[in-house]
Amino acid sequence: MTKAIKLLTALPPPQRQRLMTLAREVSFPEDTRIFEAGGAADRFWVIRSGAVSLDQEVNSLQRVTVASLGAGDLLGWSWLFPPHTWDFGAVAFSPVRAYEFDAAAVLELCEEDPQLGLLLVRSVAEVLAHRLEMTRGKLMEQYTLHRRGAL
């Protein structure tokens, strides 16, 4: 299994400092829906404190939590890939403090600093690989429970 990485600590100090010039501190009260699957992905966050649940709507009455995120975790990667819409929903599981980044400004910075762009894309790819493995594990767990008749 891949190891979970923390986006800001994965970047070397010069690139991290450049990225942080675009950071804006935000907070979300507990139970706040931060974004919904299908919505416009024009920003991302790095969680400073608190917990966020990523979820997928199964039907109009049921959502399944696919990942839980905490301090240092990247929240949102859909801003990087067309069609720039959220693949999952996200809700604050507890009060959350985060750094918020405007996607257009970050992409512009990456054009100006290709090394930062490459490092950022590699880091996001590592996050995606880890989350894919975690999601696959949850699906296998659900499948096993379903086969045993526990669901």
Side-chain angles (χ1 to χ4, degrees):
M1 179 179 271
T2 60
K3 181 180 177 238
I5 69 157
K6 306 298 183 186
L7 180 68
L8 295 179
T9 57
L11 296 173
Q15 283 75 28
R16 181 173 51 244
Q17 289 168 356
R18 288 205 71 200
L19 181 63
M20 288 305 293
T21 64
L22 302 177
R24 183 173 79 97
E25 293 187 27
V26 297
S27 60
F28 301 101
E30 183 175 354
D31 295 327
T32 299
R33 180 143 296 273
I34 301 168
F35 56 83
E36 190 68 66
D42 60 355
R43 65 198 64 240
F44 67 95
W45 302 264
V46 174
I47 300 169
R48 296 178 59 214
S49 65
V52 173
S53 296
L54 293 179
D55 58 29
Q56 182 68 53
E57 189 174 293
V58 176
N59 57 45
S60 62
L61 300 174
Q62 184 181 11
R63 292 182 186 269
V64 174
T65 298
V66 296
S68 297
L69 308 178
D73 287 332
L74 171 67
L75 172 59
W77 49 264
S78 298
W79 60 275
L80 192 53
F81 306 102
H84 306 290
T85 56
W86 299 117
D87 288 307
F88 300 100
V91 64
F93 188 71
S94 68
V96 171
R97 291 180 26 218
Y99 293 119
E100 181 177 85
F101 298 87
D102 176 82
V106 170
L107 291 171
E108 187 176 309
L109 182 61
C110 290
E111 289 291 326
E112 294 170 12
D113 183 348
Q115 184 179 12
L116 170 61
L118 179 60
L119 291 168
L120 189 60
V121 168
R122 283 182 178 168
S123 297
V124 171
E126 286 185 51
V127 169
L128 288 173
H130 178 73
R131 295 211 184 135
L132 179 60
E133 286 184 21
M134 293 191 54
T135 302
R136 183 175 52 202
K138 283 196 174 279
L139 287 171
M140 293 303 293
E141 179 183 303
Q142 291 295 314
Y143 175 77
T144 303
L145 290 172
H146 181 74
R147 296 274 295 165
R148 291 184 183 155
L151 290 179

